Each structure stands twice: as C-alpha cells, then as structure tokens.
Amino acid sequence: MTLVRVLSICVVGVAGLACAQDVAPTAAPKLTAPPVLIASGEASLDFGGFLQTRYIANVRNDVGDSEEFTQGFSHRRARLSARGQINKQLGFFVSGEAATGTMTLFDGFASWQPNGSWLIKIGQFKQNFLREDVTFDTRQLAVEKSTVGTIFSQDRSQGLDAMWTGESTRFAAGLHDGFRTLNTDFTSGAESDYAVTASAEWKWSGEWKQFDDFTGFEGKPYAGSVRGAINWEDGGETGGTVDESLLAYTIDTTAKGDGWNAFASFMGRRIETPGSEFDDFGLLAQGGAFVAKDWELFARYGLVLPDDSRASGDNFGEVTIGFNHYIVPESHAAKITADFTWAMDDQAGSSSIVRPSAGNGLLAAPDDQYYLRVQFQIVF
C-alpha cells in the first residue's frame, strides 16, 4: 500500500510531540495523535527521536593531582526512530543511535497484536527482565541508570517475545540469543546456544501505562505492582560459543501516586564456566517527590555484592541525589536533570564486575569518588 501524506498537519506543542515519540520500544508500536502523520487507510508511519546532552564533572581520590578531576560535555544519546503500522494488528519499530558519529541499529522489530491481550514481537529489542532497563532512556528518574542495574542489565538481543496482558496481571516469555548481543550474527561467539526469559507482574492498583516510567506526576492516581523475572542461557555446544551458563533473576516493586514515587529491586545471577562458579547480587532503591508543579527531587541507593571468590570482588555502593525540572509540565518531552553521586567504595576493589563508564560518570579509581551530572533532554 502506498503511503501518502495526510492533507492536514496538526500544529501542536512539545507535549504533543512527546505523546507520539516518548514511548518505550517494548510497547506496541502505535501512533497517538502525532503532529505530522504519513498515513493511508490503516497504514501509518511516524518519525522521531530524542537528544540527551550532558555535562559531567568527576573528582577521584588517590589518583594523582593531575588526574583527580575530569569534566566536560558529551552527547550521551542521539536517537532517531521510525514507528508505524501496516494495519491494526501489524506494526514495527526501528531506532538507531548516532551519539558517537556512526549510526548503530538499536531496536528493530515487527509486532503482531491479534487482540487486546496479546502482543508478539520478533527482531532486536530488550527482553522483559530488569524494569530499570526496559524503562525507556527518556523516562528515567536520574540522569543515568544505576551502576548496579547496568551490571545486571539484559540490554538488547535478537529473538522472539510474547506478552499477555490482563486487567491486573501480565506475563511475558521470550526466546533469544542471550543477554547483551546487540547486532550479532548467528555465528557470533558472543551469543549463547539458547536463551529464554520469562516475567510475571501483578498490579494491585492503577493502569498499566502508569508503569512506563518511574515518575508520579501531581494529580495522578495511585498505582502499585510487584514483578519478577528469570533468564536462563547456556553456551559452548555450537559454533564457537563460550562454554558458560547464566541464571539471572530479579524481583521489584513499584508504587507511585499524587506527586511521589518509590521503587525497589533485588537482582542476582549465577555464572558457571569450567572450573568456576560465581554468584553476584545487587540491590536498588529510589524515590522521588514533587516540591512544585514542575520540580521533582529524588534520591537513589545502589549496592553491588560480587561473589567473594572473585579476584576483585569487594562490595560497591553509591548514593545519588538530584532533581528534575520539567519544562513541559507532566511530560518527559523537555526536561533538565541534575544529580550528584558519591561512589562510597573504590571501583578498583570491585573491578571484576564494576567497570568504568564515561557514559554514567564512573571512572577507574583506587578510592571513593564523586561526580556531578547535568543533562538537557528533548524528545521530538
């Protein structure tokens, strides 16, 4: 079917743009009142993306006078996307990252929604594991996801996923190439022989769309849920894959209401290779509250508990405090976020799993460190 531009163009504000584009890629790729829509019959196509520009200043102890302070600006994310539908049941979503100057495919999947309860996806996307990871980058509470969440993150993989959603429960199950296998071929040694992920969630209050972000805007009703997920993958039997198995699991709970939010998560994993077994754990707790219609304060605590038998397996904890200023009230379309993090433990002592990351501000250091992050975000 040939797509033609509709004759009328709706002129709306930035909040309208957010309605169309600021949607997690795990959701059904539907268009909701976009400002400019290319459509014909049931088919439609919409373009968008977002930009996150940030300033980071890091202070480290015991690394030498000339290296204890590092600061500067960066484009953390510059994302372009296209979403649409072939008809009421068939949709698609494609996004690419251009922050480094080279376009890289992030999400690319087709979806089939045979009825109001089922959603089936095939392609490259994030499996339904950590809630912090499946929550879209523009809808986080802090400038960046937590260090502990990054360690246990599933990131993206290629595969198949099916989700069933009811009034108060939803379930998902997926078959994929293994955690963190972005843009790999089936012959890649980075993939597992097989990997499966399953999750279940029960909400005791609220609407499902309220769990698309962590923020509880003022005037919004109370919502609460508890969720668990598990992943199993194994390798070493086919095509050069690594002889390693991973059992990962998590449980989390979310509560939010009129101007406040709270979230807590426990995560763990067991990694087995010939001659070694490691059990790592992580804890995350965060919450926020509005002090004015467009100003939100938040705090977060994360703790990484590596296996004691790791060579550099000390515990690693960090505390983050900050604020969000919503330029467009009750929308993530344009906002300023600033936060300050104290990494209470040295990165070197837990370096077996806690890796430096310029993206979130954590750098290599033999002692504690502090970093300030300020970010401007716009969704288009």
Side-chain angles (χ1 to χ4, degrees), residues 41-322:
E42 294 182 349
S44 59
L45 176 64
D46 184 34
F47 298 96
F50 66 91
L51 178 68
Q52 292 178 331
T53 303
R54 67 180 58 161
Y55 170 82
I56 300 179
N58 179 292
V59 177
R60 302 174 302 289
N61 293 321
D62 297 333
V63 295
D65 293 340
S66 63
E67 298 179 355
E68 67 181 11
F69 178 66
T70 304
Q71 63 84 36
F73 290 88
S74 65
H75 275 318
R76 178 64 176 101
R77 295 181 179 91
R79 195 80 52 85
L80 299 174
S81 63
R83 72 173 70 232
Q85 59 186 43
I86 306 303
N87 53 41
K88 291 182 179 180
Q89 294 182 329
L90 297 174
F92 59 88
F93 182 86
V94 179
S95 70
E97 180 70 61
T100 61
T102 301
M103 181 65 74
T104 301
L105 176 68
F106 269 39
D107 299 286
F109 63 84
S111 65
W112 176 43
Q113 197 165 14
N115 53 51
S117 297
W118 283 98
L119 174 65
I120 299 171
K121 299 187 301 183
I122 185 168
Q124 180 166 278
F125 49 89
K126 291 182 178 181
Q127 291 288 327
N128 288 285
F129 188 63
L130 288 187
R131 181 187 289 280
E132 187 186 27
D133 205 24
V134 297
T135 301
F136 205 42
D137 296 308
T138 58
R139 296 187 169 212
Q140 296 292 320
L141 195 61
V143 169
E144 188 60 73
K145 299 168 187 175
S146 64
T147 296
V148 60
T150 300
I151 292 170
F152 291 87
S153 163
Q154 66 269 34
D155 205 351
R156 289 170 172 83
S157 59
Q158 296 143 8
L160 176 70
D161 181 79
M163 174 181 283
W164 178 87
T165 302
E167 182 176 348
S168 60
T169 57
R170 59 183 176 186
F171 304 92
L175 176 67
H176 55 99
D177 288 336
F179 280 4
R180 306 178 187 179
T181 52
L182 177 73
N183 294 330
T184 56
D185 203 347
F186 81 102
T187 58
S188 172
E191 296 188 355
S192 299
D193 292 337
Y194 59 87
V196 291
T197 301
S199 65
E201 183 173 8
W202 171 66
K203 67 176 177 69
W204 58 82
S205 183
E207 303 294 329
W208 286 121
K209 64 181 180 180
Q210 291 182 259
F211 301 99
D212 288 343
D213 66 1
F214 293 111
T215 301
F217 289 110
E218 289 186 330
K220 300 301 181 181
Y222 172 71
S225 78
V226 61
R227 176 180 175 276
I230 189 169
N231 177 82
W232 167 255
E233 56 190 74
D234 195 19
E237 300 297 329
T238 64
T241 58
V242 177
D243 188 5
E244 178 180 284
S245 65
L246 168 67
L247 173 65
Y249 44 91
T250 182
I251 186 170
D252 63 68
T253 183
T254 301
K256 57 196 302 188
D258 183 6
W260 63 273
N261 68 85
F263 172 77
S265 175
F266 167 80
M267 56 212 86
R269 68 185 186 188
R270 182 177 181 84
I271 301 174
E272 296 185 4
T273 60
S276 67
E277 297 177 356
F278 298 111
D279 289 288
D280 306 311
F281 304 98
L283 299 170
L284 176 65
Q286 66 180 32
F290 278 82
V291 295
K293 184 175 179 59
D294 52 0
W295 290 91
E296 177 187 35
L297 302 181
F298 62 82
R300 180 173 73 190
Y301 173 71
L303 178 63
V304 183
L305 300 166
D307 193 289
D308 292 339
S309 62
R310 289 187 178 276
S312 299
D314 296 341
N315 295 348
F316 179 85
E318 62 179 9
V319 175
T320 300
I321 58 173

